[in-house]
Amino acid sequence: MVVRSVLLLGDPRLRERSLPVPPDAIGSPELNQLIDDLRDTMAAREGAGLAAPQIGVLWRVVIFGITHNRRYPEAPPIPETILINPEWTPLDEEQESGWEGCLSVPGRRAQIPRARRLHYQALTPDGQRIQRTVEGFHARVVQHEGDHLNGVLFPDRLPPADSAAPQEDAETGVSG
Ligand code: NI
């Protein structure tokens, strides 16, 4: 079990656009080690998701999943999902706000508007294609983690004239 340190807001690596994983890296020891480290680090930190750049690897890989988690008692379960080179498309114009936090932005949470429904596709660690149409919290997690791959952090998405609430005021939300 390898728990990596999570980069924090202010680290320039969090602002980079991560690179696609090359096809010949699928199934490689390097990629499989990255996935193991993401899984172990997310579990140790009780996150709902984690993106590779958060542990300093600028590849387009994210992990998320939630079962019963004391940090998110009201969040619906999401199966553990690993996405390589994900692409996502909002399915309607409607946005809804919901609480988000981030392991790279400790101590802050905020209500962030996101597309309510979306379709995503990606490769799995064994090179299969995965496609899902999701909504609500699942859609929010994908957008949050996907943002990390483009160098975007949730405070960038704050509506104008809004500010992050203290963490103790937050209820459930994404943290990754
Ligand atoms: Ni995050």
Side-chain angles (χ1 to χ4, degrees):
M1 171 135 175
V2 178
V3 176
R4 304 267 293 259
S5 46
V6 174
L7 305 186
L8 300 178
L9 178 67
D11 190 303
R13 289 171 287 179
L14 291 172
R15 296 310 195 170
E16 296 285 324
R17 184 177 174 87
S18 292
L19 296 170
V21 176
D24 63 3
I26 305 289
S28 67
E30 182 182 16
L31 180 60
N32 290 339
Q33 184 65 57
L34 169 63
I35 290 165
D36 286 346
D37 290 357
L38 285 169
R39 180 185 290 115
D40 291 345
T41 305
M42 182 176 79
R45 300 291 301 275
E46 297 187 83
L50 193 64
Q54 290 182 275
I55 59 170
V57 178
L58 298 181
W59 262 1
R60 301 182 79 81
V61 180
V62 304
I63 185 172
F64 54 84
I66 189 163
T67 52
H68 182 70
N69 184 318
R70 64 182 177 83
R71 285 185 64 189
Y72 315 106
E74 294 167 27
I78 302 172
E80 183 192 272
T81 302
I82 295 149
L83 302 181
I84 298 163
N85 299 342
E87 297 176 10
W88 59 100
T89 309
L91 291 180
D92 54 39
E93 300 279 301
E94 188 183 350
Q95 297 216 321
E96 64 184 6
S97 287
W99 286 105
E100 295 186 22
C102 181
L103 296 174
S104 294
V105 190
R108 288 183 73 193
R109 291 198 177 196
Q111 291 263 355
I112 302 297
R114 300 282 190 185
R116 192 181 67 82
R117 292 178 69 234
L118 57 77
H119 178 265
Y120 67 84
Q121 59 181 340
L123 293 176
T124 64
D126 55 5
Q128 301 298 304
R129 183 156 294 278
I130 182 174
Q131 300 193 59
R132 287 180 181 149
T133 297
V134 298
E135 61 183 35
F137 191 74
H138 192 151
R140 176 171 301 280
V141 171
V142 171
Q143 291 168 88
H144 178 110
E145 302 308 332
D147 268 356
H148 278 298
L149 304 180
N150 295 329
V152 175
L153 299 171
F154 83 84
D156 305 338
R157 302 278 189 196
L158 277 170
D162 205 345
S163 61
Q167 184 148 17
E168 53 272 25
D169 289 348
E171 295 178 3
T172 62
V174 173
S175 185

